[in-house]
Amino acid sequence: MDPSKLYNNEELRQLIRRRIRLNFYTSFLFIFYYLFAPLFFIKFPDFLGEYLLLLSWLYVFSLFIGTWLVGWWYSKRAKVYEYQKNEIINKGKGSR
C-alpha cells in the first residue's frame, strides 16, 4: 500500500489518536498512583497516626498488584488496537 494513502486514511488517524489517548491515560494513572500516596503519607503523617506503617505496607503490596492489573489492561487494549490497525492496512491493500 502506498504510504501517502495510508497516512491520509481518516480511520487510521482516529485509531492513532485513540492509541495516543490510551498511552496518555495509562501513563497518568501510573504517575498518579506511584506519586500520590507517598506524597500523602509525607504530607499528613499526623492524620494517619498509628496506621501509617500499616498503610505504607499495604501501599507497597498494592503497587505490585496494581502494576500487573494496569499492565494486563493495557495489553488487552493494545491488542485490540493492533488488530484494528492490521484490518485497516489489509483493507487498504485490497483496494488497490
Side-chain angles (χ1 to χ4, degrees):
M1 177 176 208
D2 184 23
S4 63
K5 288 182 182 178
L6 187 61
Y7 179 74
N8 293 327
N9 187 336
E10 187 60 32
E11 191 177 2
L12 186 62
R13 284 181 159 191
Q14 289 176 357
L15 182 65
I16 290 171
R17 284 187 205 112
R18 287 196 316 253
R19 181 71 184 255
I20 290 171
R21 277 196 306 260
L22 174 69
N23 289 341
F24 175 77
Y25 292 141
T26 306
S27 300
F28 179 77
L29 180 65
F30 270 117
I31 291 169
F32 180 76
Y33 189 68
Y34 281 96
L35 293 180
F36 178 71
L39 290 175
F40 183 76
F41 292 157
I42 291 170
K43 190 74 174 169
F44 302 107
D46 297 333
F47 176 73
L48 299 172
E50 61 190 49
Y51 299 108
L52 180 63
L53 186 60
L54 174 66
L55 291 174
S56 298
W57 276 104
L58 289 175
Y59 172 71
V60 169
F61 287 122
S62 73
L63 287 176
F64 180 75
I65 294 169
T67 301
W68 279 97
L69 289 175
V70 171
W72 171 78
W73 173 76
Y74 178 83
S75 174
K76 301 252 323 162
R77 294 299 307 158
K79 284 180 186 177
V80 169
Y81 290 146
E82 189 69 24
Y83 176 76
Q84 291 173 347
K85 178 193 71 150
N86 290 337
E87 288 294 317
I88 293 169
I89 291 172
N90 289 337
K91 186 170 47 172
K93 285 181 181 177
S95 65
R96 282 187 188 183

